Amino acid sequence: MKGALPSHTSSGKAMVAGGTPFWNSVIYYNQDNGYAFVIMANTCTIADELAFRIKSIIKNEPCPALQFPFAMTLYKSINEQGIDYVKSNLEQMANAAGLPLDERFLNFFGYQYLNAGAKEVALKLFKLNVDLYPKVANVYDSLGEAYLLSDDKTNALKNYKIALELDPENERIKSTIAKIEKEQ
């Protein structure tokens, strides 16, 4: 039976999407027009963006140009124009990303790069965040974590201690400091 699922029911039309901040996928099927496609991507939500454009092409409708995910634009800006350019244009970048400009903005992208193995880019963002928000414990905590993951325990410890001064009740930071000091 054409278009039948293993349960022998007709699937008709379906588009299913899902993923994480680091990858996503889309499965599309339309029994009426006979088109089906699967998109798997390792860049933010690009599969969703592509799926809507492919559906427009199938329907012979115009589709807007594909915009790169903001994380890619930020990465390119850091590498081609430098961190000072990012600092000077941070408000416009936050608007382009559709996110509020506070200490969480650079932390969010810093962790994306850190988790993707781009430690140098993450460190640049976390250092800029410390410069912009010197009274916020979380920015020092994040910079400390980036240093720790980069095997720089001296700078990790320094930043964790500043974070603890700003947030003296934070038990996680206390235990991280104790662990680093024990290993040294």
Side-chain angles (χ1 to χ4, degrees), residues 70-126:
F70 179 76
M72 290 177 69
T73 303
L74 180 59
Y75 185 83
K76 184 176 179 182
S77 295
I78 292 168
N79 286 324
E80 292 179 4
Q81 295 157 314
I83 199 71
D84 288 335
Y85 173 84
V86 172
K87 183 177 182 178
S88 298
N89 294 283
L90 207 50
E91 189 171 334
Q92 297 91 327
M93 291 180 161
N95 287 336
L99 296 170
L101 181 55
D102 58 20
E103 75 278 359
R104 295 171 296 171
F105 178 72
L106 290 177
N107 258 21
F108 174 77
F109 291 105
Y111 276 109
Q112 282 194 345
Y113 298 126
L114 191 62
N115 292 330
K119 294 176 187 172
E120 289 302 315
V121 174
L123 280 167
K124 287 177 184 181
L125 289 176
F126 291 136

Side-chain angles (χ1 to χ4, degrees), residues 60 64 83 124 130 133 140 157 176:
N60 202 24
I83 199 71
K124 287 177 184 181
V130 163
Y133 302 98
Y140 292 96
L157 189 58
T176 302

Side-chain angles (χ1 to χ4, degrees), residues 90 101-108 110-111 114 122-147 155-156 158-164 166-167 170 172-173:
L90 207 50
L101 181 55
D102 58 20
E103 75 278 359
R104 295 171 296 171
F105 178 72
L106 290 177
N107 258 21
F108 174 77
Y111 276 109
L114 191 62
L123 280 167
K124 287 177 184 181
L125 289 176
F126 291 136
K127 286 176 188 177
L128 175 56
N129 221 16
V130 163
D131 288 344
L132 295 172
Y133 302 98
K135 303 252 187 254
V136 177
N138 189 46
V139 299
Y140 292 96
D141 179 34
S142 298
L143 182 55
E145 185 173 355
Y147 276 125
N155 279 313
K158 173 184 162 190
N159 282 281
Y160 279 125
K161 285 183 176 181
I162 296 170
L164 188 59
L166 295 168
D167 185 6
N170 191 313
R172 188 189 57 75
I173 294 174

